[in-house]
Amino acid sequence: MSDTTSIYEQIGGGPVLRSVVCDFYRLMLDDQRLAPFFADSDLERLEDRQLAFLTAALGGPGPYVGPSMRQVHSGRHIRLVHFALATGYLANALGSAGIQLHLIGAVLHIIAPLADDIATESLVNEA
């Protein structure tokens, strides 16, 4: 693929990314350290928003027009350990979809800087 081919295109576009997002949420909901963050959430809406965000972040069609990551996660008491767990589950979901390791690394490279906006709770007493 050329250097101008987006990560979104390289991983297979919308259908593959939707599958990854569904698997990602399944993995997080199966983890009792993360599941409470999604209590009383509209999972279908969350998956749609996550898909829209990742589509734009990975170079897919259209810009992301939702609220900022800081706005979305503010007040949820998310710590860095939770961000790390979720990022690991995203990597697992990408791998389960057959995405090549170098592309998983590229996705995580895009997501990693969001830690400061998502994990806003003190690092004291992690875990």
Side-chain angles (χ1 to χ4, degrees):
M1 298 216 167
S2 76
D3 289 342
T4 59
T5 303
S6 71
I7 295 171
Y8 176 83
E9 292 171 309
Q10 291 179 61
I11 66 170
V16 171
L17 194 54
R18 178 164 290 284
S19 174
V20 166
V21 167
C22 290
D23 194 29
F24 173 54
Y25 276 96
R26 181 190 57 76
L27 291 166
M28 288 194 296
L29 289 169
D30 285 346
D31 186 321
Q32 291 310 305
R33 296 165 295 183
L34 297 178
F37 291 110
F38 302 101
D40 303 321
S41 294
D42 179 344
L43 194 55
E44 186 175 332
R45 181 174 177 265
L46 284 175
E47 288 177 355
D48 287 345
R49 293 261 174 128
Q50 184 70 254
L51 180 62
F53 170 75
L54 287 173
T55 295
L58 302 181
Y64 174 70
V65 294
S68 72
M69 291 298 109
R70 184 171 293 278
Q71 284 177 299
V72 170
H73 298 92
S74 178
R76 294 195 167 272
H77 310 291
I78 298 171
R79 296 182 176 174
L80 193 56
V81 67
H82 301 123
F83 180 83
L85 287 166
T87 303
Y89 288 134
L90 178 59
N92 289 347
L94 288 160
S96 292
I99 306 303
Q100 297 174 355
L101 283 177
H102 76 280
L103 291 172
I104 294 172
V107 171
L108 298 182
H109 182 76
I110 291 168
I111 300 304
L114 297 173
D116 289 341
D117 289 335
I118 294 172
T120 56
E121 281 294 302
S122 167
L123 298 178
V124 177
N125 296 324
E126 290 271 334

